Amino acid sequence: MKLLTIFIFVLATYYRFGTACKDNRVVIINQLGPGILLTYDCYYKNPDIHAGKYTLKFNKWHDMEFQDASITFVKKTITCNFKYDKYYYDFRAYREAAFGRCGALRSYAARKDGIYFRRSYQKPWEFKFHWNVGK
């Protein structure tokens, strides 16, 4: 019985902290309207990585997939800057948990009235941010 308990513990540890963990995703969608391009720029912190500058056409999407560390005290964050026309907004798109998540979704949709957010494809979009107006 003791051996069975140890085996289950090792198996559960491997499943949680090993390769069985699904990637986390940040998804960005352009819902601004036909002919309006969304430009965005995202950065990872800890480690510091520039994820790239992209331009999305209407109703197109882009996703970033990554894994959290199993246990961490220095949290990875992803910060993004959305722009279209004279409007922009900088925000933190993702922050790593102290104990790694598996399969987390952070989805952002850019619309003319602001930026919408959801954590599940089964849930409706929620208004999250107003656009800032630049020059």
Side-chain angles (χ1 to χ4, degrees):
M1 187 65 180
K2 197 179 217 180
L3 189 58
L4 179 62
T5 304
I6 292 171
F7 174 75
I8 290 173
F9 177 76
V10 169
L11 187 62
T13 303
Y14 175 76
Y15 181 76
R16 175 63 182 96
F17 299 120
T19 58
C21 187
K22 290 173 65 174
D23 285 349
N24 299 320
R25 298 176 69 192
V26 171
V27 180
I28 298 168
I29 304 167
N30 178 357
Q31 295 181 343
L32 292 167
I36 302 173
L37 300 176
L38 172 69
T39 303
Y40 69 95
D41 207 356
C42 293
Y43 296 88
Y44 289 85
K45 184 156 178 84
N46 298 324
D48 293 343
I49 300 170
H50 182 229
K53 188 172 186 174
Y54 298 92
T55 301
L56 285 177
K57 294 181 180 179
F58 177 60
N59 273 344
K60 299 296 180 186
W61 57 273
H62 180 258
D63 69 343
M64 296 174 272
E65 294 184 352
F66 52 91
Q67 289 194 348
D68 285 353
S70 298
I71 300 173
T72 184
F73 298 105
V74 180
K75 295 173 177 42
K76 176 191 317 173
T77 59
I78 300 174
T79 304
C80 293
N81 172 276
F82 282 15
K83 293 179 186 175
Y84 88 95
D85 194 20
K86 62 181 179 180
Y87 303 98
Y88 71 94
Y89 196 80
D90 296 314
F91 63 98
R92 183 177 68 198
Y94 183 83
R95 182 171 186 245
E96 186 174 29
F99 295 94
R101 295 183 187 106
C102 289
L105 171 69
R106 303 295 182 264
S107 187
Y108 297 91
R111 297 181 184 172
K112 286 187 177 181
D113 63 335
I115 299 170
Y116 288 74
F117 170 77
R118 67 180 173 187
R119 292 181 190 229
S120 169
Y121 289 119
Q122 287 74 37
K123 300 214 175 178
W125 290 102
E126 298 174 15
F127 182 82
K128 187 76 170 173
F129 306 115
H130 289 283
W131 292 106
N132 293 325
V133 181
K135 295 179 182 179

